[in-house]
Amino acid sequence: MATQTEVLEGLAEIVNEIAGIPTEDVELDKSFTDDLDVDSLSMVEVVVAAEERFGVKIPDDEVKNLKTVGDAVNYIIENA
Amino acid sequence: MSTPQIKPATGAQYSRIHGVGGYRPTRVIPNAEVLTWIDSSDEWIRTRSGIAERRWAGPEESVAEMSVQAAGKAIAMAGIAPEQIGGVIVATVSHLKQTPAIATEIAQRLGCGTAPAFDISAACAGFGYGLGLADGMVRGGSAEYVLVIGVERLSDLTDTTDRSTAFIFGDGAGAAIVGPSDTPGIGKVIWGADGSQADVISQTEAWDTAFAKEGAVNGQGEEVKWPALRMEGQTVFRWAVWDMAKVAQQALDAAGISADQLGAFIPHQANMRITDAMIKALKLPASVPVARDIAETGNTSAASIPLAMERMLERGEAKSGDLALIIGFGAGLVYAAAVVTLP
């Protein structure tokens, strides 16, 4: 099972690739929309890439609950 | 006495697109005008959709009129006479007079004699559905040439106060002539429908409740408004990019064509972000020209693929004889993809 650090690092790489955000800015308490400027469509791209990388299913209804990077990291750890 | 045998219909061995034509309404609606209706910004609209302007039809630019104009160009390019057309298929979701089918008036105005003419409702996959039907008709022997038209006046179904859709839709018509060919010009059409997602893109209100007298309320006790198209953007985005990339790949595989052999990729012009993400998901080589007509035309549903095809040929971005991958997807949810030889 992946650790919080491993998931955070993987997610940071995905956010960097899709939205061009430096990986070091992708921190647990950052909001995707307010702090990282990841818009709703990029968020879908991030989610799909995360599903593939971590072998987890993130349904559309769940995506809106993933406000911060930490929310996403926790969801992935709990559901992978 | 032996059982009498029906003489089978015989058609062409192969079919292809012989001509394509489009009609774009004269009125240009730049983002600046949209911003007088909704609280948004030019930058927001461009980054979310890739749209800079769209065309909206005026009172004279009816569904029939736009169709006749587009079809006239396709017929001229095909170099056939209108009376050689043995079928007229009109794909639209925005012809607001349901009966009779608008295809009959269009066929009559074009001079197609008594060719069978009918409308189909397959939203943004309408052109691909029509192409699949036309291909079957030509090869099945029920028509020599078939006219397929995708036409929309989505401005009539746009809620200009809905900031998630007001900037997206446009009007226009695109037409293609499908006819016999010595070589295969239309690959297997990969098409389908998923009614479990019927609510994802839909008209807000049925006509019967909408036409109830003013001040009427619907089943939820809300006041009824003129129907418009609404959609769940994130859900559509996910389906349109990743599920549709698989469908596009199936169309390539069925045609026995690899992505690097394509001369054009012409996806339904739904949203530039969908196009960009689909290119990545499909791993389309950067050398393949991609239709990006949405920037100037908006999302014209069934009309978008033939309009974009005509524009790519006009501008020399693709040429006659090139192989193009087309894919339409939209309300239903429905989809249709195929590899075709450009006229």
Side-chain angles (χ1 to χ4, degrees), chain A residues 56-71:
Chain A
V56 60
K57 271 272 155 221
I58 311 175
D60 288 334
D61 288 345
E62 200 57 52
V63 175
K64 60 178 179 293
N65 299 327
L66 307 180
K67 305 256 187 255
T68 66
V69 174
D71 293 340

Side-chain angles (χ1 to χ4, degrees), chain B residues 23 91 123 127 149-152 171-175 268 300-308:
Chain B
Y23 179 82
F127 182 74
I149 297 170
V151 56
E152 303 290 2
D171 302 338
H268 161 52
T300 58
S301 187
S304 83
I305 291 175
L307 277 172

Side-chain angles (χ1 to χ4, degrees), chain B residues 2-342:
Chain B
S2 62
T3 309
Q5 194 167 9
I6 293 170
K7 183 180 167 190
T10 52
Q13 189 177 2
Y14 305 117
S15 72
R16 69 179 171 94
I17 298 174
H18 288 253
V20 66
Y23 179 82
R24 295 161 193 274
T26 51
R27 184 180 168 205
V28 177
I29 311 256
N31 285 348
E33 188 170 343
V34 174
L35 296 174
T36 64
W37 317 328
I38 55 168
D39 178 22
S40 190
S41 71
D42 180 53
E43 196 253 339
W44 192 94
I45 294 172
R46 285 174 192 259
T47 55
R48 267 30 170 229
S49 70
I51 300 171
E53 60 187 42
R54 70 288 290 140
R55 303 278 182 128
W56 276 22
E60 306 301 315
E61 293 167 315
S62 65
V63 165
E65 180 59 30
M66 293 193 292
S67 297
V68 167
Q69 296 292 333
K73 290 166 77 178
I75 293 168
M77 184 179 177
I80 62 165
E83 53 267 30
Q84 288 176 270
I85 293 169
V88 177
I89 302 170
V90 176
T92 185
V93 293
S94 51
H95 174 55
L96 301 183
K97 186 174 173 184
Q98 218 170 345
T99 307
I102 194 62
T104 64
E105 179 188 328
I106 293 166
Q108 186 271 326
R109 284 179 58 183
L110 289 167
C112 300
T114 56
F118 55 98
D119 299 352
I120 59 171
S121 173
C124 308
F127 182 74
Y129 268 55
L131 195 70
L133 291 170
D135 170 58
M137 288 163 73
V138 169
R139 290 189 297 112
S142 59
E144 187 182 11
Y145 291 95
V146 178
L147 169 61
V148 179
I149 297 170
V151 56
E152 303 290 2
R153 276 180 60 107
L154 296 179
S155 58
D156 290 338
L157 293 170
T158 296
D159 177 355
T160 54
T161 66
D162 179 351
R163 62 188 302 276
S164 69
T165 58
F167 60 91
I168 291 178
F169 300 121
D171 302 338
I177 297 288
V178 176
S181 174
D182 295 333
T183 52
I186 299 176
K188 182 180 177 181
V189 177
I190 305 297
W191 54 353
D194 176 9
S196 73
Q197 300 198 74
D199 290 341
V200 172
I201 311 171
S202 68
Q203 185 172 315
T204 48
E205 195 79 45
W207 291 110
D208 55 353
T209 50
F211 272 103
K213 61 180 182 292
E214 205 178 336
V217 292
N218 64 15
Q220 283 76 49
E222 300 155 339
E223 194 175 335
V224 170
K225 290 187 354 187
W226 176 262
L229 298 174
R230 51 158 289 282
M231 65 175 111
E232 292 167 25
Q234 282 178 307
T235 305
V236 173
F237 185 76
R238 192 196 278 225
W239 173 79
V241 174
W242 289 278
D243 290 17
M244 290 305 99
K246 289 178 201 144
V247 169
Q249 188 60 51
Q250 284 173 37
L252 285 170
D253 294 345
I257 298 297
S258 60
D260 60 359
Q261 293 175 305
L262 291 172
F265 175 47
I266 313 179
H268 161 52
Q269 303 290 292
N271 182 318
M272 201 78 89
R273 294 280 292 277
I274 291 177
T275 299
D276 286 331
M278 199 188 274
I279 290 168
K280 275 199 276 177
L282 255 179
K283 299 184 172 64
L284 194 76
S287 56
V288 178
V290 177
R292 296 190 178 280
D293 190 35
I294 190 168
E296 297 157 337
T297 312
N299 176 340
T300 58
S301 187
S304 83
I305 291 175
L307 277 172
M309 187 183 289
E310 181 199 44
R311 182 146 278 182
M312 288 186 90
L313 290 167
E314 255 173 20
R315 292 186 174 168
E317 294 163 5
K319 59 183 193 306
S320 175
D322 281 350
L323 296 176
L325 171 62
I326 65 169
I327 179 165
F329 44 86
L333 296 170
V334 293
Y335 59 86
V339 175
V340 301
T341 304
L342 291 175

